[in-house]
Amino acid sequence: MIPKIVLTSAGAALLAKVPEGYAVPVTRWQIGKGSLPAGSSLDRTALVEPVAYLDITSVENQGTEALILGQFTNQEIWEAFSFEELGLFAQDPEAGEILMCYGNAFGDGELIQAATEQLREFVFGTQLQFSGDANVTGEIVQGLVFIPLVEKGAPGGVAPLGEDGLVPEQYLPEMNYDPAGAADNAVKVHNEDTTAHPDIRETMVTTTIQVTYNEGVI
C-alpha cells in the first residue's frame, strides 16, 4: 500500500509557473514496481521501475482541492508484480512532461496477479490542495467508464465484449425476426394477389366513383 503521494520539486516549479486563474494540465499516471528503502526521499523525476502508463479518468475541482483519478486493470499484465510506486505527470510549458507527484510503498506494495491467474481492477487517485481555488485539467478518456468485472456478464450488470468487439451471442436476448427484406417481399406478394381482401378493394373503388360523380367531374 502506498501511504502518501507528494509533490515533487518539478511539480512545485510547475505550480509556480502557472499564473493564478490558469489551469494545471495533468497528463497521465504511471505505476511501477520499484521499491525504495524506508525513509527515502520521494522527490524524484522518474519512477524506479515503471510498469505501465495509465490514463486519467476523472478530474474534479472543488474549492481549494482537486481530485484526480485513474483506473487500473491487469487485463494486459502477463507477469505478476508488486505495486510499489505511483506517479502523476503534468505538462510543463518549458520542461515538457514532468513527474508532478510521486508515492512509494517502501516494500509494502500490493501484489498484482497476472491476468491469466486472476483479473484485477481498481480505481485510485490523489487529492491536491491549493492555497487558492483549484484549477486542474486533464485529457479524460471517456471510454474508461469504470465497470467492475463482477458486473460484466452478470444479471443486472452489463454484457462483455468478445475479441471481435461485439457482444457474444449468449448475452443477446432471444428474438424472432425475418431476414432482411422478407417482410417487404411478403407485403408485395400479398398486394399483388387479386384475391386478397376483395371486399375492401371494392368498397374503395365504389367510394371513389361516388365522390368523383358528386363533384361533377364526370
Side-chain angles (χ1 to χ4, degrees):
M1 178 179 178
I2 298 175
K4 63 178 179 179
I5 300 176
V6 303
L7 191 67
T8 64
S9 294
L14 170 61
L15 295 182
K17 295 176 185 178
V18 178
E20 184 176 353
Y22 284 76
V24 177
V26 293
T27 54
R28 53 184 174 173
W29 293 95
Q30 189 176 42
I31 60 173
K33 57 183 179 180
S35 174
L36 293 174
S40 298
S41 171
L42 297 178
D43 188 11
R44 300 183 58 83
T45 59
L47 273 66
V48 180
E49 289 187 71
V51 171
Y53 283 109
L54 302 175
D55 293 308
I56 292 170
T57 58
S58 174
V59 175
E60 184 178 346
N61 297 292
Q62 290 188 342
T64 60
E65 298 178 342
L67 178 63
I68 306 165
L69 301 180
Q71 177 183 338
F72 171 82
T73 174
N74 69 339
Q75 289 181 338
E76 296 184 2
I77 300 296
W78 311 116
E79 182 179 342
F81 71 97
S82 181
F83 182 11
E84 293 282 348
E85 50 184 343
L86 177 65
L88 175 64
F89 287 80
Q91 190 67 31
D92 186 294
E94 299 172 356
E97 190 177 46
I98 56 100
L99 181 59
M100 179 179 178
C101 300
Y102 178 78
N104 197 284
F106 301 114
D108 194 25
E110 180 180 358
L111 175 64
I112 302 297
Q113 296 85 351
T116 53
E117 180 181 349
Q118 179 183 346
L119 288 177
R120 295 284 306 278
E121 63 181 5
F122 51 82
V123 172
F124 61 90
T126 187
Q127 194 167 42
L128 302 180
Q129 182 79 42
F130 294 84
S131 57
D133 290 339
N135 189 2
V136 177
T137 61
E139 183 177 347
I140 309 302
V141 179
Q142 297 295 342
L144 289 179
V145 177
F146 182 71
I147 302 175
L149 288 173
V150 294
E151 293 184 10
K152 297 176 182 177
V158 297
L161 298 181
E163 295 182 356
D164 57 359
L166 303 177
V167 176
E169 183 177 355
Q170 65 265 34
Y171 294 105
L172 294 174
E174 294 184 4
M175 62 181 72
N176 294 322
Y177 63 92
D178 291 326
D184 289 341
N185 185 61
V187 172
K188 181 175 182 295
V189 172
H190 178 73
N191 289 340
E192 292 176 350
D193 185 357
T194 57
T195 65
H197 43 65
D199 56 329
I200 297 178
R201 290 170 180 266
E202 201 155 318
T203 300
M204 291 176 63
V205 173
T206 302
T207 302
T208 301
I209 292 175
Q210 183 68 37
V211 171
T212 303
Y213 178 77
N214 289 343
E215 289 180 353
V217 176
I218 296 179

